[in-house]
């Protein structure tokens, strides 16, 4: 099925460990996004990309890095995980046109202990 | 700036009741408006959208009308079902270097049989 695929679905990290979350889309969307979802705070934009080889900061970028080497993939990295990064992470993709909205992945639940 | 305000939850209704979830927005420019739904353990799914004033978006019995004069996009359904239990997010889309969705904080809806 076409859509946005996130891996892994669950992960537990120890403080200070690093990891990479992978997002892949097969809809030829130009834009890709990483959000985090925390109780009572809705979704907050971490980083986004408007095309292959480009990235930009969102609302809460500190502690995260991203890369988009291929149009279909968008990677989110945590270099040194902290308990404050315990959250559910969602990847999304979209066309350039603002009329279409986003397609979301099913999320990655990350716990940092 | 751009922002979305939703009625606070949680909202609990009985099956077949009428549903309204209020959403108001502030935006620079002329946004598109969306409602997304998140079922337990899943990502966000687009429920409906409207791209210009007085447009009505509809899907699965849900409706919302883009009211520019009141800057609102309230979600309604005439007769809710237990399967409608989910978290509902109102969002607006603006172009700021990229298409960006700005989300409200979400409203948790529980329908009791």
């Amino acid at each position: 099925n076409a859509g946005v695929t996130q891996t892994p679905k669950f992960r537990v990290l120890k403080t200070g460990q690093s990891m990479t979350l992978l997002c892949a889309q097969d809809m030829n969307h130009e834009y890709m996004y990483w959000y985090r979802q925390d109780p009572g705070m809705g979704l907050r934009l971490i980083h986004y990309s408007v095309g292959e080889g480009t990235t930009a900061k969102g609302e809460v970028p500190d502690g995260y890095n991203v890369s988009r080497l291929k149009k279909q993939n968008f990677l989110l990295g945590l270099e040194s995980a902290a308990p404050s990064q315990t959250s559910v992470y969602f990847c999304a993709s979209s066309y350039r046109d603002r009329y279409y909205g986003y397609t979301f992945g099913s999320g990655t639940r990350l716990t940092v202990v | 700036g751009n922002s979305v305000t939703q009625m606070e939850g949680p909202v609990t209704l009985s099956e077949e009741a009428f549903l309204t979830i209020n959403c108001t927005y502030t935006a620079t420019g002329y946004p598109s408006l969306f409602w997304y739904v998140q079922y337990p353990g899943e990502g966000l799914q687009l429920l409906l959208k409207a791209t210009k004033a007085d447009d009505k978006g509809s899907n699965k019995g849900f409706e919302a009308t883009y009211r520019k004069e009141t800057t609102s996009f309230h979600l309604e359904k005439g007769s809710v079902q237990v399967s409608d239990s989910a978290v509902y997010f109102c969002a607006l889309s603006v172009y700021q270097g990229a298409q960006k969705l700005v989300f409200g904080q979400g409203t948790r809806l529980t329908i009791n049989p």
Side-chain angles (χ1 to χ4, degrees):
Chain A
N1 291 337
V4 177
T5 303
Q6 290 183 236
T7 53
K9 295 189 183 302
F10 303 94
R11 185 74 184 270
V12 178
L13 286 180
K14 294 182 179 179
T15 298
Q17 286 185 319
S18 63
M19 78 164 294
T20 299
L21 283 67
L22 172 64
C23 176
Q25 56 96 2
D26 58 3
M27 297 168 284
N28 203 35
H29 285 167
E30 293 93 347
Y31 296 167
M32 298 187 75
Y33 313 82
W34 277 106
Y35 283 86
R36 59 177 291 173
Q37 184 180 31
D38 301 294
M41 302 188 75
L43 280 81
R44 293 182 291 170
L45 181 63
I46 305 171
H47 286 281
Y48 65 98
S49 167
V50 301
E52 182 177 320
T54 73
T55 63
K57 294 180 180 180
E59 182 185 357
V60 289
D62 294 342
Y64 305 95
N65 57 75
V66 289
S67 64
R68 191 165 179 202
L69 300 179
K70 295 183 178 181
K71 185 176 183 178
Q72 63 267 34
N73 296 336
F74 195 31
L75 306 179
L76 178 71
L78 287 73
E79 290 187 347
S80 180
S84 60
Q85 294 178 304
T86 293
S87 186
V88 181
Y89 292 86
F90 287 100
C91 178
S93 67
S94 73
Y95 292 113
R96 183 174 303 149
D97 195 305
R98 66 180 175 85
Y99 299 123
Y100 291 99
Y102 293 0
T103 300
F104 281 86
S106 57
T108 296
R109 184 174 295 276
L110 175 66
T111 302
V112 183
V113 298
Chain B
N2 302 305
S3 65
V4 175
T5 302
Q6 292 180 232
M7 66 184 288
E8 292 199 19
V11 174
T12 302
L13 296 172
S14 298
E15 205 166 20
E16 299 184 0
F18 184 85
L19 169 70
T20 300
I21 301 178
N22 290 336
C23 171
T24 57
Y25 67 90
T26 302
T28 54
Y30 203 178
S32 295
L33 301 174
F34 303 85
W35 277 99
Y36 282 82
V37 58
Q38 184 180 32
Y39 299 104
E42 298 183 11
L44 281 71
Q45 303 174 24
L46 179 63
L47 180 60
L48 54 84
K49 67 179 182 181
T51 58
K52 63 182 186 294
D54 300 324
D55 267 3
K56 179 185 284 187
S58 61
N59 186 25
K60 299 181 180 179
F62 291 90
E63 294 183 340
T65 300
Y66 190 145
R67 299 290 187 197
K68 187 179 180 184
E69 64 276 12
T70 55
T71 60
S72 65
F73 193 54
H74 305 321
L75 182 68
E76 297 181 336
K77 187 174 185 181
S79 177
V80 293
Q81 306 300 314
V82 172
S83 57
D84 294 326
S85 298
V87 181
Y88 292 81
F89 291 91
C90 184
L92 65 84
S93 175
V94 292
Y95 190 87
Q96 294 177 320
Q99 188 209 152
K100 290 183 183 177
L101 275 179
V102 176
F103 290 90
Q105 73 272 32
T107 302
R108 181 174 299 278
L109 173 67
T110 301
I111 307 301
N112 293 322

